[in-house]
Coordinates of all heavy atoms in Angstrom, one line a residue:
I177 N 6.8 -34.2 -98.2 CA 6.8 -35.6 -98.6 C 6.2 -36.4 -97.4 O 6.8 -36.4 -96.3 CB 8.2 -36.2 -98.9 CG1 8.7 -35.5 -100.2 CG2 8.1 -37.7 -99.3 CD1 10.1 -35.9 -100.6
V178 N 5.1 -37.1 -97.6 CA 4.4 -37.8 -96.5 C 4.3 -39.3 -97.0 O 4.2 -39.6 -98.2 CB 3.1 -37.2 -96.1 CG1 3.3 -35.8 -95.6 CG2 2.2 -37.2 -97.3
D179 N 4.2 -40.2 -96.0 CA 4.0 -41.6 -96.2 C 2.6 -42.1 -95.9 O 2.2 -41.9 -94.7 CB 5.1 -42.4 -95.4 CG 5.2 -43.8 -95.7 OD1 4.3 -44.3 -96.4 OD2 6.1 -44.5 -95.3
N180 N 1.9 -42.6 -96.8 CA 0.5 -43.0 -96.5 C 0.5 -44.2 -95.5 O -0.6 -44.5 -95.0 CB -0.3 -43.3 -97.7 CG 0.2 -44.4 -98.6 OD1 1.4 -44.9 -98.3 ND2 -0.4 -44.7 -99.7
A181 N 1.6 -44.8 -95.3 CA 1.7 -45.9 -94.3 C 1.3 -45.3 -92.9 O 0.8 -46.0 -92.0 CB 3.0 -46.5 -94.2
D182 N 1.5 -44.0 -92.7 CA 1.2 -43.4 -91.4 C -0.3 -43.5 -91.1 O -0.6 -43.6 -89.9 CB 1.5 -41.9 -91.5 CG 3.0 -41.6 -91.5 OD1 3.8 -42.6 -91.3 OD2 3.4 -40.5 -91.9
W183 N -1.2 -43.6 -92.1 CA -2.6 -43.8 -91.7 C -3.2 -45.1 -92.2 O -4.2 -45.5 -91.8 CB -3.4 -42.6 -92.3 CG -3.2 -42.3 -93.8 CD1 -3.9 -43.0 -94.8 CD2 -2.5 -41.3 -94.4 NE1 -3.5 -42.4 -96.0 CE2 -2.6 -41.4 -95.8 CE3 -1.6 -40.3 -93.9 CZ2 -1.9 -40.6 -96.6 CZ3 -0.9 -39.5 -94.8 CH2 -1.1 -39.6 -96.1
L184 N -2.5 -45.7 -93.2 CA -3.0 -47.0 -93.7 C -2.7 -48.2 -92.8 O -3.5 -49.1 -92.6 CB -2.5 -47.3 -95.1 CG -3.0 -46.4 -96.2 CD1 -2.5 -46.8 -97.6 CD2 -4.6 -46.4 -96.3
L185 N -1.5 -48.2 -92.2 CA -1.1 -49.4 -91.5 C -1.9 -49.6 -90.2 O -2.0 -50.7 -89.8 CB 0.4 -49.3 -91.2 CG 1.4 -49.4 -92.4 CD1 2.8 -49.4 -91.9 CD2 1.1 -50.7 -93.2
G186 N -2.4 -48.6 -89.7 CA -3.2 -48.7 -88.5 C -4.7 -49.0 -88.7 O -5.4 -49.2 -87.7
L187 N -5.1 -49.1 -90.0 CA -6.5 -49.4 -90.2 C -6.9 -50.8 -89.9 O -6.1 -51.7 -90.1 CB -6.8 -49.2 -91.7 CG -6.8 -47.7 -92.2 CD1 -7.0 -47.7 -93.7 CD2 -7.9 -46.9 -91.5
K188 N -8.1 -51.0 -89.3 CA -8.6 -52.3 -89.1 C -9.6 -52.6 -90.3 O -10.4 -51.8 -90.6 CB -9.3 -52.4 -87.7 CG -8.4 -52.2 -86.6 CD -9.2 -52.3 -85.3 CE -8.2 -52.2 -84.1 NZ -8.9 -52.2 -82.8
Y189 N -9.4 -53.7 -90.9 CA -10.0 -54.1 -92.2 C -11.6 -54.0 -92.0 O -12.2 -53.3 -92.9 CB -9.6 -55.4 -92.7 CG -10.1 -55.7 -94.1 CD1 -9.8 -54.9 -95.2 CD2 -10.9 -56.8 -94.3 CE1 -10.2 -55.3 -96.4 CE2 -11.4 -57.1 -95.5 CZ -11.1 -56.3 -96.6 OH -11.5 -56.6 -97.8
I190 N -12.1 -54.6 -91.0 CA -13.6 -54.6 -90.9 C -14.1 -53.2 -90.6 O -15.1 -52.8 -91.3 CB -14.0 -55.6 -89.7 CG1 -13.5 -57.0 -90.0 CG2 -15.5 -55.5 -89.5 CD1 -14.1 -57.6 -91.3
D191 N -13.4 -52.5 -89.8 CA -13.8 -51.1 -89.5 C -13.7 -50.2 -90.8 O -14.6 -49.4 -91.1 CB -12.9 -50.4 -88.5 CG -13.1 -51.1 -87.1 OD1 -14.2 -51.8 -86.9 OD2 -12.3 -50.9 -86.2
F192 N -12.7 -50.5 -91.6 CA -12.5 -49.7 -92.8 C -13.7 -50.0 -93.8 O -14.2 -49.1 -94.4 CB -11.1 -50.0 -93.5 CG -10.9 -49.3 -94.7 CD1 -10.5 -48.0 -94.8 CD2 -11.0 -50.0 -96.0 CE1 -10.3 -47.3 -96.0 CE2 -10.8 -49.3 -97.2 CZ -10.4 -48.0 -97.2
L193 N -14.0 -51.2 -94.0 CA -15.1 -51.6 -94.9 C -16.4 -51.0 -94.4 O -17.2 -50.6 -95.2 CB -15.2 -53.1 -95.0 CG -14.1 -53.9 -95.7 CD1 -14.3 -55.3 -95.7 CD2 -13.9 -53.3 -97.1
R194 N -16.6 -51.1 -93.1 CA -17.9 -50.5 -92.5 C -18.0 -49.0 -92.7 O -19.0 -48.5 -93.2 CB -18.0 -50.9 -91.1 CG -19.2 -50.4 -90.4 CD -19.1 -50.4 -88.9 NE -18.0 -49.6 -88.4 CZ -17.2 -49.8 -87.4 NH1 -17.4 -50.9 -86.7 NH2 -16.3 -48.9 -87.0
D195 N -16.9 -48.3 -92.4 CA -16.9 -46.9 -92.4 C -16.8 -46.2 -93.8 O -17.4 -45.2 -94.1 CB -15.8 -46.3 -91.5 CG -16.0 -46.7 -90.1 OD1 -17.2 -47.0 -89.7 OD2 -15.0 -46.7 -89.3
Y196 N -16.0 -46.9 -94.7 CA -15.7 -46.3 -96.0 C -16.2 -47.1 -97.2 O -16.6 -46.7 -98.2 CB -14.2 -46.0 -96.1 CG -13.7 -45.1 -95.0 CD1 -13.0 -45.6 -93.9 CD2 -14.0 -43.8 -95.0 CE1 -12.5 -44.8 -92.9 CE2 -13.6 -42.9 -94.0 CZ -12.9 -43.4 -92.9 OH -12.5 -42.7 -91.9
G197 N -16.0 -48.5 -97.0 CA -16.5 -49.4 -98.1 C -17.9 -49.2 -98.5 O -18.3 -49.3 -99.7
A198 N -18.7 -48.9 -97.5 CA -20.2 -48.7 -97.8 C -20.5 -47.5 -98.6 O -21.6 -47.4 -99.2 CB -20.9 -48.6 -96.5
L199 N -19.5 -46.6 -98.8 CA -19.7 -45.4 -99.6 C -19.3 -45.5 -101.0 O -19.4 -44.6 -101.8 CB -18.8 -44.2 -99.0 CG -19.1 -43.9 -97.5 CD1 -18.1 -42.8 -97.0 CD2 -20.6 -43.4 -97.3
F200 N -18.8 -46.7 -101.4 CA -18.4 -47.0 -102.8 C -19.4 -48.0 -103.5 O -19.7 -49.0 -102.8 CB -17.0 -47.5 -102.8 CG -15.9 -46.5 -102.5 CD1 -15.6 -46.2 -101.2 CD2 -15.3 -45.9 -103.5 CE1 -14.6 -45.3 -100.9 CE2 -14.3 -44.9 -103.2 CZ -14.0 -44.6 -101.9
S201 N -19.8 -47.7 -104.7 CA -20.6 -48.6 -105.4 C -19.7 -49.4 -106.4 O -19.0 -48.9 -107.2 CB -21.6 -47.8 -106.3 OG -22.2 -48.5 -107.3
V202 N -19.9 -50.7 -106.3 CA -19.2 -51.6 -107.2 C -19.5 -51.4 -108.6 O -18.7 -51.4 -109.5 CB -19.4 -53.1 -106.8 CG1 -18.8 -54.0 -107.9 CG2 -18.9 -53.4 -105.4
N203 N -20.8 -51.1 -108.9 CA -21.2 -50.8 -110.2 C -20.5 -49.6 -110.8 O -20.1 -49.6 -112.0 CB -22.7 -50.5 -110.3 CG -23.6 -51.7 -110.0 OD1 -23.0 -52.9 -110.1 ND2 -24.9 -51.5 -109.7
V204 N -20.3 -48.5 -110.0 CA -19.6 -47.4 -110.5 C -18.1 -47.7 -110.6 O -17.4 -47.3 -111.6 CB -19.7 -46.2 -109.5 CG1 -18.8 -45.0 -109.8 CG2 -21.2 -45.7 -109.4
M205 N -17.5 -48.5 -109.7 CA -16.1 -48.8 -109.8 C -15.8 -49.6 -111.1 O -14.7 -49.4 -111.7 CB -15.7 -49.6 -108.6 CG -15.7 -48.8 -107.3 SD -15.4 -49.9 -105.8 CE -13.7 -50.3 -106.0
L206 N -16.7 -50.4 -111.5 CA -16.5 -51.2 -112.7 C -16.5 -50.4 -114.0 O -16.1 -50.9 -115.0 CB -17.6 -52.3 -112.8 CG -17.4 -53.5 -111.7 CD1 -18.6 -54.4 -111.8 CD2 -16.1 -54.3 -112.0
T207 N -17.1 -49.2 -113.9 CA -17.1 -48.3 -115.1 C -15.8 -47.6 -115.3 O -15.6 -47.0 -116.4 CB -18.3 -47.3 -115.0 OG1 -18.0 -46.4 -113.9 CG2 -19.6 -48.0 -114.8
K208 N -14.9 -47.5 -114.3 CA -13.7 -46.8 -114.4 C -12.8 -47.5 -115.4 O -12.6 -48.7 -115.5 CB -13.0 -46.7 -113.1 CG -13.8 -46.1 -111.9 CD -14.3 -44.7 -112.3 CE -15.0 -44.1 -111.1 NZ -15.6 -42.8 -111.4
A209 N -12.1 -46.7 -116.3 CA -11.3 -47.2 -117.3 C -10.1 -48.1 -116.8 O -9.8 -49.1 -117.3 CB -10.7 -46.1 -118.2
S210 N -9.6 -47.6 -115.6 CA -8.5 -48.4 -115.0 C -8.9 -49.8 -114.6 O -8.1 -50.7 -114.6 CB -7.9 -47.6 -113.8 OG -8.9 -47.4 -112.8
V211 N -10.2 -49.9 -114.2 CA -10.7 -51.2 -113.8 C -11.1 -52.1 -115.0 O -10.7 -53.2 -115.2 CB -11.9 -51.1 -112.9 CG1 -12.5 -52.5 -112.6 CG2 -11.5 -50.4 -111.6
K212 N -11.8 -51.5 -116.0 CA -12.3 -52.1 -117.2 C -11.1 -52.7 -117.9 O -11.2 -53.9 -118.4 CB -13.1 -51.2 -118.0 CG -14.4 -50.8 -117.4 CD -15.1 -49.7 -118.2 CE -15.6 -50.2 -119.5 NZ -16.3 -49.1 -120.3
S213 N -10.0 -52.0 -118.1 CA -8.9 -52.4 -118.9 C -8.2 -53.6 -118.2 O -7.7 -54.5 -118.9 CB -7.9 -51.3 -119.1 OG -7.3 -50.9 -117.9
R214 N -8.2 -53.6 -116.9 CA -7.6 -54.8 -116.2 C -8.4 -56.0 -116.2 O -7.9 -57.1 -116.1 CB -7.1 -54.3 -114.8 CG -6.0 -53.3 -114.8 CD -5.6 -52.9 -113.3 NE -4.5 -52.0 -113.4 CZ -3.4 -52.1 -112.6 NH1 -3.2 -53.2 -111.9 NH2 -2.4 -51.2 -112.7
L215 N -9.7 -55.8 -116.1 CA -10.6 -56.9 -116.1 C -10.5 -57.8 -117.3 O -10.6 -59.0 -117.2 CB -12.1 -56.4 -116.0 CG -12.5 -55.9 -114.6 CD1 -14.0 -55.4 -114.7 CD2 -12.4 -57.1 -113.5
E216 N -10.0 -57.3 -118.4 CA -9.9 -58.0 -119.6 C -8.7 -59.0 -119.5 O -8.8 -60.1 -120.1 CB -9.7 -57.1 -120.8 CG -10.8 -56.2 -121.1 CD -10.5 -55.1 -122.2 OE1 -9.4 -55.1 -122.7 OE2 -11.4 -54.3 -122.5
K217 N -7.7 -58.6 -118.7 CA -6.6 -59.5 -118.5 C -6.6 -60.2 -117.2 O -5.7 -61.1 -117.0 CB -5.3 -58.6 -118.6 CG -5.1 -57.9 -119.9 CD -3.9 -57.0 -119.9 CE -3.7 -56.3 -121.2 NZ -2.5 -55.4 -121.2
G218 N -7.5 -59.8 -116.3 CA -7.5 -60.5 -115.0 C -7.1 -59.5 -114.0 O -6.1 -58.8 -114.1
M219 N -7.9 -59.4 -112.9 CA -7.6 -58.4 -111.9 C -7.8 -59.0 -110.5 O -8.8 -59.7 -110.2 CB -8.6 -57.2 -112.0 CG -8.3 -56.0 -111.1 SD -9.5 -54.7 -111.4 CE -8.7 -53.4 -110.5
S220 N -6.8 -58.8 -109.6 CA -6.9 -59.4 -108.3 C -7.8 -58.5 -107.4 O -8.0 -57.4 -107.7 CB -5.5 -59.5 -107.6 OG -5.0 -58.2 -107.4
F221 N -8.2 -59.1 -106.3 CA -9.1 -58.4 -105.4 C -8.3 -57.3 -104.7 O -8.8 -56.2 -104.4 CB -9.6 -59.3 -104.3 CG -10.6 -58.7 -103.3 CD1 -11.8 -58.3 -103.8 CD2 -10.2 -58.5 -102.0 CE1 -12.7 -57.7 -102.9 CE2 -11.1 -57.9 -101.2 CZ -12.4 -57.5 -101.6
L222 N -6.9 -57.5 -104.6 CA -6.1 -56.4 -104.0 C -6.1 -55.2 -105.0 O -6.2 -54.1 -104.5 CB -4.7 -57.0 -103.9 CG -3.6 -55.9 -103.5 CD1 -3.9 -55.4 -102.1 CD2 -2.2 -56.6 -103.5
E223 N -5.9 -55.5 -106.3 CA -6.0 -54.3 -107.2 C -7.3 -53.6 -107.2 O -7.4 -52.4 -107.3 CB -5.7 -54.9 -108.6 CG -4.2 -55.3 -108.8 CD -4.0 -56.0 -110.2 OE1 -4.7 -56.9 -110.5 OE2 -3.2 -55.4 -110.9
F224 N -8.4 -54.4 -107.1 CA -9.7 -53.8 -107.1 C -9.9 -52.9 -105.9 O -10.5 -51.9 -105.9 CB -10.8 -54.9 -107.1 CG -12.1 -54.4 -107.3 CD1 -12.5 -53.8 -108.5 CD2 -13.1 -54.6 -106.3 CE1 -13.8 -53.4 -108.7 CE2 -14.4 -54.2 -106.5 CZ -14.8 -53.6 -107.8
N225 N -9.3 -53.2 -104.8 CA -9.4 -52.5 -103.5 C -8.5 -51.2 -103.6 O -8.7 -50.3 -102.8 CB -8.9 -53.3 -102.3 CG -10.0 -54.0 -101.6 OD1 -10.5 -53.6 -100.7 ND2 -10.3 -55.2 -102.2
Y226 N -7.6 -51.1 -104.6 CA -6.7 -50.0 -104.6 C -7.4 -48.6 -104.8 O -7.0 -47.6 -104.2 CB -5.7 -50.1 -105.8 CG -4.6 -49.1 -105.7 CD1 -3.5 -49.3 -104.8 CD2 -4.5 -48.0 -106.6 CE1 -2.5 -48.4 -104.7 CE2 -3.5 -47.1 -106.5 CZ -2.5 -47.3 -105.6 OH -1.5 -46.4 -105.5
Q227 N -8.6 -48.6 -105.4 CA -9.3 -47.4 -105.6 C -9.9 -46.9 -104.3 O -9.8 -45.7 -104.0 CB -10.5 -47.7 -106.5 CG -11.3 -46.4 -106.9 CD -12.4 -46.6 -107.9 OE1 -13.4 -45.9 -107.9 NE2 -12.2 -47.6 -108.8
L228 N -10.3 -47.8 -103.4 CA -10.7 -47.4 -102.0 C -9.5 -46.8 -101.2 O -9.7 -45.8 -100.6 CB -11.3 -48.5 -101.3 CG -12.7 -49.0 -101.5 CD1 -12.9 -49.5 -102.9 CD2 -13.2 -49.9 -100.4
L229 N -8.4 -47.5 -101.3 CA -7.2 -47.0 -100.6 C -6.8 -45.6 -101.0 O -6.4 -44.7 -100.2 CB -6.1 -48.0 -100.6 CG -6.4 -49.4 -100.0 CD1 -5.3 -50.4 -100.2 CD2 -6.7 -49.2 -98.5
Q230 N -6.7 -45.4 -102.4 CA -6.2 -44.1 -102.9 C -7.2 -43.0 -102.6 O -6.9 -41.9 -102.3 CB -6.0 -44.2 -104.4 CG -5.3 -42.9 -104.9 CD -4.7 -43.1 -106.3 OE1 -4.5 -44.2 -106.8 NE2 -4.6 -42.0 -107.0
A231 N -8.5 -43.4 -102.6 CA -9.5 -42.4 -102.3 C -9.4 -42.0 -100.8 O -9.5 -40.8 -100.4 CB -10.9 -43.0 -102.5
Y232 N -9.1 -43.0 -99.9 CA -8.9 -42.7 -98.5 C -7.7 -41.9 -98.3 O -7.6 -41.0 -97.4 CB -8.8 -44.0 -97.7 CG -8.7 -43.9 -96.3 CD1 -9.8 -43.4 -95.5 CD2 -7.5 -44.1 -95.6 CE1 -9.7 -43.2 -94.1 CE2 -7.3 -43.9 -94.2 CZ -8.4 -43.5 -93.5 OH -8.3 -43.3 -92.1
D233 N -6.6 -42.1 -99.1 CA -5.4 -41.2 -99.1 C -5.8 -39.8 -99.3 O -5.3 -38.9 -98.5 CB -4.4 -41.6 -100.1 CG -3.6 -42.9 -99.8 OD1 -3.7 -43.3 -98.6 OD2 -3.0 -43.5 -100.8
F234 N -6.6 -39.5 -100.3 CA -7.0 -38.1 -100.5 C -7.8 -37.5 -99.3 O -7.6 -36.3 -98.9 CB -7.9 -38.1 -101.8 CG -7.9 -36.7 -102.5 CD1 -8.5 -36.5 -103.7 CD2 -7.4 -35.6 -101.9 CE1 -8.5 -35.3 -104.4 CE2 -7.4 -34.3 -102.5 CZ -8.0 -34.2 -103.8
L235 N -8.6 -38.3 -98.7 CA -9.4 -37.9 -97.5 C -8.4 -37.5 -96.4 O -8.6 -36.5 -95.8 CB -10.4 -39.0 -97.1 CG -11.1 -38.7 -95.8 CD1 -12.1 -37.5 -96.0 CD2 -11.9 -39.9 -95.4
E236 N -7.5 -38.4 -96.2 CA -6.5 -38.1 -95.1 C -5.6 -36.9 -95.4 O -5.3 -36.1 -94.5 CB -5.7 -39.3 -94.8 CG -6.4 -40.4 -94.0 CD -6.7 -40.0 -92.6 OE1 -6.0 -39.2 -92.0 OE2 -7.7 -40.5 -92.1
L237 N -5.2 -36.7 -96.6 CA -4.4 -35.6 -97.0 C -5.2 -34.3 -96.8 O -4.6 -33.3 -96.4 CB -3.9 -35.7 -98.4 CG -2.9 -36.8 -98.7 CD1 -2.7 -37.0 -100.2 CD2 -1.6 -36.4 -98.1
F238 N -6.5 -34.4 -97.1 CA -7.3 -33.2 -96.9 C -7.4 -32.9 -95.4 O -7.3 -31.8 -94.9 CB -8.7 -33.4 -97.5 CG -9.7 -32.3 -97.2 CD1 -9.6 -31.0 -97.8 CD2 -10.6 -32.5 -96.2 CE1 -10.5 -30.1 -97.4 CE2 -11.5 -31.5 -95.8 CZ -11.4 -30.2 -96.5
R239 N -7.7 -33.9 -94.6 CA -7.9 -33.7 -93.2 C -6.6 -33.3 -92.5 O -6.7 -32.4 -91.6 CB -8.4 -35.0 -92.5 CG -9.8 -35.4 -92.9 CD -10.2 -36.8 -92.4 NE -11.6 -37.0 -92.4 CZ -12.2 -38.1 -92.1 NH1 -11.5 -39.2 -91.8 NH2 -13.5 -38.3 -92.3
R240 N -5.5 -33.8 -92.9 CA -4.2 -33.6 -92.2 C -3.5 -32.3 -92.7 O -2.9 -31.6 -91.9 CB -3.3 -34.8 -92.3 CG -3.8 -36.0 -91.6 CD -2.9 -37.2 -91.9 NE -3.4 -38.4 -91.3 CZ -2.7 -39.2 -90.5 NH1 -1.4 -38.9 -90.2 NH2 -3.2 -40.3 -89.9
Y241 N -3.6 -32.1 -94.0 CA -2.8 -31.0 -94.6 C -3.6 -30.1 -95.5 O -3.0 -29.2 -96.1 CB -1.7 -31.7 -95.5 CG -0.8 -32.7 -94.8 CD1 -1.1 -34.1 -95.0 CD2 0.2 -32.3 -93.9 CE1 -0.3 -35.0 -94.3 CE2 0.9 -33.3 -93.2 CZ 0.7 -34.6 -93.5 OH 1.4 -35.5 -92.8
N242 N -4.9 -30.2 -95.4 CA -5.8 -29.3 -96.2 C -5.5 -29.4 -97.7 O -5.6 -28.4 -98.4 CB -5.7 -27.8 -95.7 CG -6.9 -27.0 -96.2 OD1 -8.0 -27.4 -96.3 ND2 -6.6 -25.7 -96.5
C243 N -5.1 -30.6 -98.1 CA -4.8 -30.8 -99.6 C -6.1 -30.8 -100.3 O -7.0 -31.6 -100.1 CB -4.1 -32.1 -99.7 SG -3.8 -32.6 -101.4
K244 N -6.2 -29.9 -101.3 CA -7.5 -29.8 -102.1 C -7.3 -30.1 -103.6 O -8.2 -30.0 -104.4 CB -8.0 -28.4 -102.0 CG -8.5 -28.1 -100.5 CD -9.1 -26.7 -100.5 CE -9.6 -26.4 -99.1 NZ -10.2 -25.0 -99.0
L245 N -6.1 -30.5 -104.0 CA -5.8 -30.9 -105.4 C -4.9 -32.0 -105.5 O -3.8 -32.0 -104.9 CB -5.2 -29.6 -106.1 CG -4.9 -29.8 -107.6 CD1 -6.2 -29.9 -108.4 CD2 -4.1 -28.7 -108.1
Q246 N -5.3 -33.1 -106.2 CA -4.4 -34.2 -106.4 C -4.1 -34.2 -107.9 O -4.9 -34.1 -108.8 CB -5.1 -35.5 -106.0 CG -4.2 -36.7 -106.1 CD -4.8 -37.9 -105.5 OE1 -4.3 -39.1 -105.7 NE2 -5.9 -37.8 -104.7
I247 N -2.8 -34.5 -108.2 CA -2.2 -34.5 -109.5 C -1.7 -35.9 -109.8 O -1.0 -36.5 -109.0 CB -1.1 -33.5 -109.7 CG1 -1.6 -32.0 -109.4 CG2 -0.5 -33.5 -111.1 CD1 -0.6 -31.0 -109.4
G248 N -2.0 -36.4 -111.0 CA -1.5 -37.7 -111.4 C -1.7 -38.0 -112.8 O -2.1 -37.2 -113.6
G249 N -1.3 -39.3 -113.2 CA -1.4 -39.7 -114.6 C -2.9 -40.0 -115.0 O -3.7 -40.2 -114.1
D250 N -3.1 -40.0 -116.2 CA -4.5 -40.3 -116.7 C -5.0 -41.7 -116.2 O -6.2 -41.8 -116.0 CB -4.5 -40.4 -118.3 CG -4.6 -39.0 -118.9 OD1 -4.8 -38.0 -118.1 OD2 -4.5 -38.9 -120.1
D251 N -4.1 -42.6 -115.9 CA -4.6 -43.9 -115.5 C -5.0 -43.9 -114.0 O -5.6 -44.8 -113.5 CB -3.4 -44.9 -115.6 CG -2.2 -44.6 -114.8 OD1 -2.0 -43.4 -114.5 OD2 -1.4 -45.5 -114.6
Q252 N -4.8 -42.8 -113.3 CA -5.2 -42.6 -111.9 C -6.6 -41.9 -111.8 O -7.0 -41.6 -110.7 CB -4.1 -41.9 -111.2 CG -2.8 -42.6 -111.1 CD -2.9 -43.9 -110.4 OE1 -3.4 -44.0 -109.3 NE2 -2.5 -45.0 -111.1
W253 N -7.1 -41.5 -112.9 CA -8.3 -40.6 -112.9 C -9.4 -41.2 -112.1 O -10.0 -40.6 -111.2 CB -8.8 -40.4 -114.3 CG -10.2 -39.8 -114.4 CD1 -11.4 -40.4 -114.7 CD2 -10.5 -38.4 -114.3 NE1 -12.4 -39.5 -114.7 CE2 -11.9 -38.2 -114.4 CE3 -9.7 -37.2 -114.0 CZ2 -12.5 -37.0 -114.4 CZ3 -10.4 -36.0 -113.9 CH2 -11.8 -35.9 -114.1
G254 N -9.8 -42.5 -112.3 CA -10.9 -43.1 -111.6 C -10.6 -43.2 -110.1 O -11.5 -42.9 -109.2
N255 N -9.4 -43.5 -109.7 CA -9.0 -43.5 -108.2 C -9.1 -42.1 -107.6 O -9.6 -42.0 -106.5 CB -7.6 -44.1 -108.1 CG -7.5 -45.5 -108.6 OD1 -8.4 -46.2 -108.7 ND2 -6.2 -45.9 -108.8

Side-chain angles (χ1 to χ4, degrees):
I177 298 177
V178 297
D179 188 348
N180 60 357
D182 292 344
W183 54 82
L184 290 181
L185 293 183
L187 287 175
K188 294 181 179 179
Y189 187 62
I190 299 301
D191 293 343
F192 178 77
L193 290 180
R194 180 195 64 211
D195 296 338
Y196 303 104
L199 301 175
F200 289 83
S201 165
V202 172
N203 291 342
V204 172
M205 292 173 69
L206 290 173
T207 65
K208 305 300 184 184
S210 58
V211 174
K212 290 172 68 176
S213 62
R214 290 183 179 228
L215 284 176
E216 296 172 2
K217 299 178 181 178
M219 186 179 195
S220 69
F221 186 68
L222 174 63
E223 291 176 299
F224 190 63
N225 269 262
Y226 191 75
Q227 187 176 148
L228 276 72
L229 295 174
Q230 188 168 337
Y232 183 71
D233 284 344
F234 203 170
L235 176 65
E236 284 293 330
L237 288 170
F238 173 76
R239 287 173 170 174
R240 294 171 183 236
Y241 306 102
N242 196 34
C243 175
K244 295 183 178 180
L245 180 69
Q246 188 170 163
I247 301 173
D250 278 353
D251 60 338
Q252 298 299 307
W253 170 261
N255 297 343

